[in-house]
Amino acid sequence: MFGFWMPMPLRKYPWETLSDEQLLEQRLSSLRVTVEGTWLEGCLGTLHEELQARDIRLRPHAWISSEWFSPAGVPGIAIPFYLAHPRLMKIEKKMMLDVEGGTWSACMAILRHEAGHAMQHAFQLQRRRRWQQLFGPSSKRYPRYYRPNPASRGYVQHLRLWYAQSHPDEDFAETFAVWLRPRSSWRTRYAGWPALKKLEYVDELMAEIAGKRPPVMNRERIDPLHQLGQTLGEHYEKKQAFYAFKAPKTYDRDLSRLFSSDPRHRRAQPASVLIRRHRAQIRQLVARWTGENQLTLDAVLDDMISRCRELDLRAAGSERKLVTDFTILLTAKTMHALFGPSSRRKWIAL
């Protein structure tokens, strides 16, 4: 279901057999899931092996919380609760239409990114002048919104939506993640890019740090799951609201060009039916191409389906071609909403 074999947790929980409605009434603190005894242990073990192979002595500690993050001043990593159990992954998928970090490769990508934050915290790297020259001041305020330039070669591309461009700390964490990943061939991949200077600096910096004990060894756990009193329902209500972005409804003309309102095609299947039948496939493809959240895309698809119904548009012609053309249309509209002159988007700091 989530792209890899997951060993069943050794521990049984009373909420495993609850309905979705009952599960959403449970408090996060009552879940009591841990990293230990789950597939996450293997992911962390792999991360530690990658650090050891570079002679980096830091071994970031990890705990379960509500989301991914590495707190300032703490060389550790918080992992979202849903990754600790298949039942919680299932409710995450239902509520958010996606499971961030829900496969081995996706989890490792985020762990390497968070390890970059942990390295910064453990060795206080942001205090170095060269670090500040290349990445910018760590003290810069985190933005609520940022507008990346997809064509920029000044940043590495690791996590989705050109995340390195959101803040100097994220720029470093992304650069570190690319550097750390085995067989990433970053010298070849980024040859001729200004971002190569950042990678070369990280390479030099890690060679200097190799074998040294981190000056900051804080093992604190910020916002651990057992201290979070909100229910899963409240958690997801807040999380869904974050992605409740609606693109401007400027697609009537495009839909009318793609589908037909000609009476001659009245016996053809409604365009709304065609979109609804293929919506999961279309949503996943556009999310992969643009980096947009699937929950946001689903809301836009609802609007498009409604407009097709109100305009009585019909799917005349090759269904395969229509699905392809509609996917391209949604991709174009999404990119315009993300990066157009009037766009103003939110983003989650990992």
Side-chain angles (χ1 to χ4, degrees), residues 130 134-135 156 175 179 186-188 190-207:
R130 182 61 175 157
L134 285 171
F135 300 105
V156 298
T175 305
W179 173 85
W186 54 265
R187 291 187 189 277
T188 303
Y190 290 96
W193 288 42
L196 184 62
K197 289 184 179 180
K198 297 176 182 177
L199 284 160
E200 290 173 340
Y201 170 70
V202 169
D203 192 48
E204 295 168 5
L205 185 58
M206 293 305 116

Side-chain angles (χ1 to χ4, degrees), residues 264-319:
R264 292 179 300 168
H265 298 136
R266 64 181 180 276
R267 294 187 181 277
Q269 71 170 320
S272 58
V273 173
L274 178 141
I275 297 171
R276 191 180 300 111
R277 185 164 64 249
H278 295 278
R279 75 184 293 164
Q281 168 198 343
I282 292 169
R283 187 182 66 226
Q284 290 165 11
L285 277 174
V286 176
R288 188 183 312 152
W289 292 340
T290 66
E292 179 59 278
N293 182 271
Q294 288 200 45
L295 202 67
T296 303
L297 291 172
D298 208 54
V300 175
L301 282 167
D302 275 340
D303 286 341
M304 286 185 155
I305 289 170
S306 176
R307 292 306 299 151
C308 284
R309 191 182 302 114
E310 291 171 16
L311 296 170
D312 194 23
L313 297 177
R314 300 284 164 164
S318 164
E319 179 164 332

Side-chain angles (χ1 to χ4, degrees), residues 34-70:
T34 62
V35 171
E36 294 73 28
T38 73
W39 69 288
L40 296 170
E41 271 193 311
C43 293
L44 284 165
T46 298
L47 175 67
H48 290 173
E49 289 170 5
E50 292 175 2
L51 293 169
Q52 183 176 4
R54 306 289 189 132
D55 198 20
I56 296 173
R57 290 184 61 181
L58 176 67
R59 301 292 179 269
H61 64 294
W63 64 98
I64 300 296
S65 186
S66 60
E67 60 181 334
W68 288 101
F69 64 94
S70 180

Side-chain angles (χ1 to χ4, degrees), residues 120 125-141 154-155 164 167-172 198 201:
Q120 179 185 336
L125 301 177
Q126 72 279 1
R127 296 183 177 182
R128 296 174 176 245
R129 178 169 296 181
R130 182 61 175 157
W131 194 99
Q132 295 172 9
Q133 290 173 342
L134 285 171
F135 300 105
S138 178
S139 58
K140 181 180 178 181
R141 185 175 180 178
Y155 303 84
H167 187 273
D169 288 358
E170 304 304 340
D171 190 7
F172 172 77
K198 297 176 182 177
Y201 170 70

Side-chain angles (χ1 to χ4, degrees), residues 5-18:
W5 176 79
M6 181 193 296
M8 291 301 293
L10 299 176
R11 180 179 174 184
K12 295 292 184 181
Y13 298 92
W15 44 258
E16 288 183 43
T17 56
L18 295 180

Side-chain angles (χ1 to χ4, degrees), residues 202-218:
V202 169
D203 192 48
E204 295 168 5
L205 185 58
M206 293 305 116
E208 176 190 331
I209 285 173
K212 294 183 179 179
R213 185 178 184 273
V216 177
M217 298 290 286
N218 185 351

Side-chain angles (χ1 to χ4, degrees), residues 10-28:
L10 299 176
R11 180 179 174 184
K12 295 292 184 181
Y13 298 92
W15 44 258
E16 288 183 43
T17 56
L18 295 180
S19 67
D20 289 346
E21 291 73 19
Q22 292 171 324
L23 182 56
L24 290 172
E25 294 174 357
Q26 302 298 304
R27 297 193 180 279
L28 293 177

